[in-house]
Amino acid sequence: FPSYIDAGEVTTMADMFNGCVNLERVEMSHITTSAKLNTMEGMFEGCVKLTDVVFQDVMNTQGLTTVADMFNGCTMLKSANVSALNVSKVKTFANMFMNCRDIEVIDLSTWQLKNNNGNNTTTAANQTNVTSNTFANCSSLTTIFVNTGNDYWNRDFFGFRGTTCYTNTFANCTSLIGA
């Protein structure tokens, strides 16, 4: 594998490894991205033997708008360092970690979440299905680390607004205890 890959012109990584049922580990620390990248939807979806994904420490993903289904169905996933992703423009996190039954800890503490207007809040009107099923069926998940200085986490991301765009965010997360 090359020591460096310039993916600066790439706009989508959607379904890049989708359905690679024998894929066990992905090392992406040598791939450079740019703000042109707008989707990672379904990138690893259905990679049932995938246990570890390593991204570079800092990734230029400031144009990213969806990470829906990114790891959906990665039933053996133990580690995914997603802290390097810039998700400030992401509209949907739906099903992002759905059915990742083996993952125990997810660190989102570096994520700065904003709506399309640049505010640190969101509404159902401008972000549909924002967190539906994001962590559903992550039965081994015990802890999610977040930046508590950003009020978004408390009010919006975790679905305390009573709207339908947050349905089943933590469905069947039977081991979740907090941080």
Side-chain angles (χ1 to χ4, degrees):
F1 209 70
S3 60
Y4 171 79
I5 296 174
D6 181 359
E9 296 299 314
V10 172
T11 60
T12 180
M13 290 187 176
D15 301 320
M16 188 172 183
F17 299 101
N18 188 322
C20 293
V21 295
N22 292 313
L23 186 65
E24 295 178 10
R25 184 173 197 279
V26 176
E27 171 74 46
M28 297 188 66
S29 61
H30 55 280
I31 298 176
T32 302
T33 57
S34 77
K36 293 179 181 180
L37 180 63
N38 62 41
T39 182
M40 292 180 153
E41 183 171 356
M43 188 172 182
F44 301 101
E45 186 173 7
C47 296
V48 295
K49 292 184 181 177
L50 184 65
T51 60
D52 187 33
V53 177
V54 178
F55 292 104
Q56 57 184 279
D57 291 336
V58 177
M59 290 185 71
N60 185 352
T61 57
Q62 65 190 34
L64 199 58
T65 60
T66 184
V67 290
D69 295 302
M70 188 171 180
F71 299 102
N72 187 354
C74 295
T75 56
M76 297 177 70
L77 186 66
K78 298 265 188 208
S79 175
N81 179 10
V82 293
S83 61
L85 300 180
N86 180 336
V87 295
S88 63
K89 294 181 182 173
V90 169
K91 295 179 184 178
T92 180
F93 299 87
N95 311 322
M96 184 176 183
F97 291 100
M98 186 176 183
N99 299 315
C100 293
R101 67 172 189 229
D102 286 353
I103 199 159
E104 295 177 3
V105 176
I106 299 174
D107 185 357
L108 308 178
S109 62
T110 60
W111 284 13
Q112 297 297 316
L113 302 173
K114 298 177 181 176
N115 68 15
N116 294 339
N117 298 322
N119 301 320
N120 285 330
T121 59
T122 187
T123 63
N126 68 6
Q127 292 190 334
T128 57
N129 297 320
V130 69
T131 64
S132 296
N133 300 306
T134 302
F135 306 103
N137 304 320
C138 294
S139 55
S140 298
L141 182 63
T142 60
T143 308
I144 301 170
F145 292 101
V146 297
N147 177 350
T148 57
N150 185 339
D151 193 42
Y152 179 91
W153 290 107
N154 300 325
R155 294 185 300 110
D156 298 310
F157 192 87
F158 291 125
F160 299 117
R161 300 189 96 191
T163 64
T164 58
C165 64
Y166 308 104
T167 57
N168 300 316
T169 302
F170 298 101
N172 302 312
C173 291
T174 54
S175 301
L176 191 61
I177 55 174

